[in-house]
Amino acid sequence: EEAPAGAGDEPAAKVPRTSRLPKRKMALVVGYCGTGYMGMQMNPRAKTIEAELERAMFRAGGISARNYGFLDKVHFSRAGRTDKGVSAVAQVVALQLEMADNEEGMVRRINEHLPADITVLDCMRVTGSFNARLWCSRRRYQYLIPTWVFSASHVSAVDGETGAPFRMSEAAVGRLNAALANFVGHAWYHNYTSSKTSEDGTCQRQIFSFQASAPFVAEGGVEWIALTVLGQSFLLHQIRKMVATTVDLVRSDRASPEIASVIQQSRNKGGHMVLPLAPGLGLYLDRLFFDDYNRRHVEDFNRQAERQQAKAATETQSSEEAVVDKRRALDWDGNRWSEKLEDFKKQVVWKQILEEETKEAVFAKWIIDLRSHPIQYKLEPEERKKVTTPSGPKALPPTPPTPPPDSNSKETGESETATEAASSE
């Protein structure tokens, strides 16, 4: 359950207000490193991204003293939750901000009060009814992982006999992509989260694509690869379990048909299968997509504005074009913003992941544990839930198939019930 915003926090100083500032519904693009934080969402007595963000917005003059600690009063929404230790390149939040400056000025003012591992990358006006979670139609996560984990003969980045650094072959990358492709489509993911069965219709998820990038060698000589998954929304731990299952199956040198069979069985309704869980370190929210919002509230609005502009110019026969207030699309791919986000990803998020692995050997410890406790991938009948009736415990009757969840469902990433990021990954 979501805690009251700002719980347990006190503003460092009350900013006196002699007059009310104009409030506007704004969307903020926020990047952050999740290490050291207990997730995105506000949580009493815990260090969270939202707590830091709210404090910075208050000190920047964007939230009044009367609303500090009560984000519901400013209609705050987030596109997705991220779990403990999970980072984000472009998280999106929306709220009513008191605009003491223009958009660029507000970004600068907020960033002055944020810690170095959190930054606001963009600020833009949205419609008054905009809700970041409900309007987010697709979510893209990436998982950065060293390539040696896919080799059965390696428990570190170098060969135990020769000392040579591991390098993933082109054929091995192709085999990895073939394994990841088995997740594409609509299926049941009750085995990829916790405390859920396939009787729960929210376990149905749609994966649009899942593929690996070309490997690259980072500073220090270790080779890494980024796994990119695009979906409507994700369950708690779903992405980390998909990654872990793929790693374990690929490094065991199973044939591609056998890998496809295991992944298919793990997503069968009514079946229970124990699956491994990858570390949270390599996971980060990469992009959020607002296709429906852009089409309905940006593109249509701008076309109408252009028609009105043309009509006004014709009626006045003026050579000067009227100024038209157009809306910006919530889109950060393939434009001037994509380079800014890519720089933040590589210089901040990737750097933190690589440094943490060098210091703590997170993936090496995980692989050793995975080898010590092998997963059997045995499909067993799912235990049915029981309900108590006047006559005693009774198994629930079979439930009809549930349609895929709407894109406006409560899931948003991977850390909430339906999102590990947009959720709780």
Side-chain angles (χ1 to χ4, degrees):
E1 183 175 335
E2 188 166 346
D9 290 323
E10 288 295 333
K14 300 287 185 180
V15 179
R17 299 292 174 84
T18 57
S19 61
R20 298 290 294 275
L21 294 170
K23 277 186 180 181
R24 298 192 181 99
K25 192 65 170 290
M26 309 297 293
L28 304 180
V29 180
V30 186
Y32 53 84
C33 287
T35 300
Y37 292 92
M38 298 299 291
M40 168 71 181
Q41 187 181 2
M42 195 77 68
N43 196 0
R45 297 173 297 280
K47 184 181 179 182
T48 65
I49 304 297
E50 280 183 12
E52 296 291 343
L53 184 60
E54 183 196 25
R55 186 182 297 111
M57 291 188 294
F58 168 78
R59 291 173 175 169
I63 296 178
S64 67
R66 70 178 65 87
N67 290 333
Y68 183 86
F70 303 95
L71 285 178
D72 57 317
K73 290 186 177 181
V74 293
H75 307 289
F76 180 89
S77 63
R78 70 186 77 76
R81 304 178 192 179
T82 51
D83 206 359
K84 175 183 176 182
V86 177
S87 302
V89 175
Q91 173 70 274
V92 174
V93 302
L95 73 158
Q96 294 258 350
L97 274 180
E98 297 193 10
M99 297 296 290
D101 208 333
N102 59 24
E103 295 174 1
E104 291 184 359
M106 182 57 73
V107 168
R108 183 176 61 256
R109 290 160 68 108
I110 295 174
N111 283 333
E112 288 174 354
H113 301 286
L114 283 171
D117 49 8
I118 306 175
T119 185
V120 174
L121 298 162
D122 192 12
C123 174
M124 58 194 299
R125 191 168 183 178
V126 290
T127 59
S129 61
F130 177 78
N131 182 292
R133 178 177 62 83
L134 298 180
W135 278 110
C136 185
S137 53
R138 294 178 296 153
R139 296 162 174 86
R140 187 171 78 202
Y141 279 82
Q142 290 188 331
Y143 195 96
L144 192 64
I145 189 169
T147 56
W148 64 262
V149 304
F150 295 98
S151 171
S153 61
H154 283 70
V155 291
S156 69
V158 297
D159 187 283
E161 296 181 0
T162 66
F166 178 81
R167 295 293 181 261
M168 198 173 196
S169 67
E170 186 176 341
V173 174
R175 186 165 172 262
L176 171 58
N177 274 316
L180 295 173
N182 290 300
F183 288 103
V184 175
H186 174 266
W188 295 84
Y189 282 91
H190 53 289
N191 289 318
Y192 288 82
T193 186
S194 58
S195 304
K196 285 184 177 291
T197 69
S198 59
E199 293 175 347
D200 188 338
T202 64
C203 291
Q204 297 178 84
R205 298 287 134 175
Q206 178 77 26
I207 304 297
F208 301 114
S209 63
F210 200 179
Q211 56 191 13
S213 68
F216 66 93
V217 179
E219 185 177 350
V222 179
E223 186 180 64
W224 293 73
I225 195 167
L227 311 181
T228 303
V229 58
L230 177 66
Q232 187 179 44
S233 58
F234 301 91
L235 294 160
L236 173 68
H237 295 159
Q238 180 185 339
I239 296 174
R240 290 167 60 188
K241 286 200 170 190
M242 289 194 298
V243 169
T245 300
T246 302
V247 169
D248 196 30
L249 293 175
V250 170
R251 70 177 278 118
S252 66
D253 289 329
R254 297 178 188 235
S256 293
E258 184 180 358
I259 292 177
S261 176
V262 170
I263 293 175
Q264 176 59 44
Q265 291 182 52
S266 70
R267 302 180 303 156
N268 281 348
K269 183 178 181 182
H272 172 71
M273 183 181 290
V274 175
L275 300 173
L277 178 67
L281 176 64
L283 182 66
Y284 56 91
L285 174 61
D286 185 51
R287 291 290 193 282
L288 297 165
F289 299 89
F290 298 85
D291 307 317
D292 294 338
Y293 175 83
N294 289 337
R295 182 173 59 254
R296 293 177 58 181
H297 292 288
V298 177
E299 296 172 9
D300 291 349
F301 177 89
N302 290 343
R303 279 194 293 268
Q304 179 66 20
E306 290 171 355
R307 286 194 292 266
Q308 292 176 351
Q309 178 186 24
K311 181 179 179 181
T314 301
E315 291 176 349
T316 60
Q317 296 183 347
S318 173
S319 59
E320 296 183 2
E321 290 189 358
V323 176
V324 177
D325 184 17
K326 292 185 177 181
R327 292 173 178 168
R328 269 186 59 196
L330 296 175
D331 180 14
W332 301 275
D333 265 355
N335 52 38
R336 67 188 183 95
W337 295 102
S338 56
E339 182 177 352
K340 186 176 182 180
L341 297 182
E342 285 299 307
D343 286 344
F344 179 81
K345 175 168 66 177
K346 294 178 180 179
Q347 297 173 14
V348 180
V349 176
W350 282 15
K351 181 181 178 182
Q352 178 265 327
I353 293 174
L354 270 55
E355 288 178 350
E356 187 73 10
E357 174 61 16
T358 300
K359 179 182 177 182
E360 301 293 340
V362 174
F363 287 103
K365 293 175 182 176
W366 174 59
I367 289 298
I368 291 174
D369 183 68
L370 198 60
R371 293 179 63 176
S372 301
H373 303 89
I375 306 297
Q376 301 302 317
Y377 299 103
K378 181 180 179 181
L379 186 66
E380 299 177 341
E382 187 176 63
E383 292 186 9
R384 299 191 58 77
K385 292 181 178 179
K386 304 290 183 179
V387 294
T388 301
T389 65
S391 59
K394 178 181 179 182
L396 287 174
T399 54
T402 306
D406 187 272
S407 62
N408 295 340
S409 72
K410 126 180 182 178
E411 308 302 350
T412 69
E414 236 197 27
S415 174
E416 36 185 303
T417 298
T419 195
E420 251 196 53
S423 115
S424 191
E425 291 256 358

